[in-house]
Amino acid sequence: MAVDSQRVEPRTLDAEDRVGHFREVQRGYTEEEAVAEANRCLQCKRPPCAAGCPVGINIPAFIDMIARGLYREAIEKIKEKNNLPAVCGRVCPQEVQCEKKCILAKRGEPVAIGNLERFAADWERETGSMSLPYPGDCRFNIAVVGSGPSSLTAAADLAKMGYCVTIYEALHEPGGVLIYGIPEFRLPKNIVRQEIDYIKRLGVSIKTNTVIGKTKTVDELLESHDAVFIGSGAGLPYFLGIPGEHLNGVYTANEFLTRSNLMGAHEFPSVDTPLGIGKNVAVVGAGNVAMDAARTAIRLGAENVHLVYRRTREEMPARRDEIDKAQEEGVQFQLLSSPEKVIGDDKGNVMGLSCQRYDLGEPDHTGRRKPISREHGEFCLPVDTVIIAVGQGVNPLVLESTEGFEIGPGGYLITDEVGATTRPGVFAGGDVATGTDTVIKAMGGGKKAALAIHECLEMRRKGKRVGASGRC
Ligand code: FAD
Ligand code: SF4
């Protein structure tokens, strides 16, 4: 094993090239690159990386298979635990999960676990050798609400265990944020669709255009199913609460990205959905969602895209790589700045964003230096579009239309450690239970709940009463 060798970085399209289209920015490894990177793995006896993976992939084992050219075996090893490997290889924040724990991270260059996972998944798709589905014998019927990563994982794991699973999705296409939130240039939609096809081939049925809480309630689902999993996410956007948010030209990032990704607005007029943005755009926020909105605005033809954030670059919650790529593509960072008012013209259209600059004061109780208003720090960005990306909460529809749930302070659905809600037979996972988090953590929640549903139904099948927790 080449312990001292440098991490192999995948090829990335140049910034000038990539801003002109929505094609994927980061390319995958070639076989040669993948084998070279896999050979950097030390095959630790007690691998710390495995503990950093929320779905528990046997990381050293699949890397060893790639190093030996056994790509089919590698993808099968990954799929024992992960039903969406091509998605995770692209969007998981590995740098704060498995790669952070890799022993080589101490030298600054952990094994590129995510890129290797992506390589194995892409190899399988490109060589047309998708694994065969598991046969199901439908011992029990399970309903799954929503079709984001938590639901897809719960559904796939349950189908593999032999259950009959139906997903009910409010939108016309399944995939949750993977389809309507994360842009094409980071996560191509044909890849998400193919991973969903694999889950369908496991026997999972998907009913779209079905809003649980309106079309059917959770109580109605319980009449015809043995258990229900709720993975309805956290897609309700927050607003800033400043004057002028009602003006034409103000979007939430959620609406903006959905129009572009799900409704194909970036291909207007060849599709029906327009997405009117001007030449000058302000995006408020600094998480992954804000970076995605800013980079999408640039690709839609905006000449100036300002990202307004009240702290510094170091405190931005987005992945470092996304921050770097946004800056390379020309996004202008207005740091230590906060919006105070959206300014409109006499026709009710946005014509500017009035902001205030800050300085950093003494650290507060969290240890972070507190922003303090700068004297004469007011300034106005001359923009015609404002995109708000300051976080999202849970859509209350499913929760409010169901009796007996315990709801936490942020409006999130309270579950126990295995994902059971306070309603017997109803389980939950992903953002609806944790608040906005990551794809892989949502998948981890779906996996845990699938196992708990299985254990609960096994007890029921054996005619045993279910324990004091009242999970079933
Ligand atoms: P979701 O993906 O939100 O899916 C919920 C699904 O439930 C949706 O399809 C919704 O339509 C459906 N639904 C809601 N209510 C109902 C109802 N009443 N009836 C039926 N269906 C319903 N994470 C990362 O790890 N890496 C990233 O790079 C990253 N980038 C992101 C970029 C954006 C723009 C956004 C918004 C999020 C990003 N995240 C990222 C976060 C990540 O996508 C989420 O944490 C994850 O998708 C949560 O999965 P989920 O299954 O809980 O819910
Ligand atoms: Fe390989 Fe790093 Fe995991 Fe060790 S910690 S097994 S070197 S990926």
Side-chain angles (χ1 to χ4, degrees), residues 41-44 47-49 59-60 63 101-104 111 113:
C41 177
L42 303 175
Q43 291 297 314
C44 306
C49 53
I59 294 169
I63 292 182
K101 303 223 174 212
C102 172
I103 209 93
L104 295 179
V111 174
I113 300 168

Side-chain angles (χ1 to χ4, degrees), residues 90-93 97 144-152 168-171 173-183 186 207 210-214 216 229-235 253-254 257 261 288-290 292-293 319 322 392 395 397-398 429-443:
R90 286 170 165 81
V91 301
C92 266
Q97 293 174 339
V144 170
V145 180
S147 63
S150 66
S151 296
L152 291 170
Y168 298 92
E169 166 57 48
L171 298 175
E173 176 155 13
V177 170
L178 308 179
I179 281 287
Y180 74 73
I182 305 179
R186 282 211 295 131
K207 290 196 193 311
T210 310
V211 183
I212 301 305
K214 281 252 185 261
K216 273 177 195 290
F229 172 82
I230 299 178
S232 50
N254 192 299
L257 290 169
N261 296 324
N288 284 327
V289 180
D292 283 344
R319 293 179 76 181
E322 300 310 322
Q392 289 160 192
N395 186 321
L397 185 60
V398 182
D431 286 2
V432 70
T434 59
T436 45
D437 210 319
T438 61
V439 169
I440 195 70
K441 292 222 180 111
M443 290 173 65

Side-chain angles (χ1 to χ4, degrees), residues 23-44:
R23 286 195 296 280
E24 193 173 15
V25 166
Q26 187 157 314
R27 319 313 284 177
Y29 279 151
T30 59
E31 269 190 56
E32 206 178 26
E33 288 168 336
V35 170
E37 182 59 20
N39 271 304
R40 291 182 63 237
C41 177
L42 303 175
Q43 291 297 314
C44 306

Side-chain angles (χ1 to χ4, degrees), residues 88-107:
C88 291
R90 286 170 165 81
V91 301
C92 266
Q94 288 98 5
E95 66 280 8
V96 292
Q97 293 174 339
C98 53
E99 290 184 15
K100 187 177 179 190
K101 303 223 174 212
C102 172
I103 209 93
L104 295 179
K106 293 196 183 96
R107 298 183 205 160

Side-chain angles (χ1 to χ4, degrees), residues 7 24 62 68 146 160 169 206 472:
R7 177 171 156 124
E24 193 173 15
F62 95 76
R68 291 190 285 135
K160 286 177 180 174
E169 166 57 48
I206 304 183
C472 293

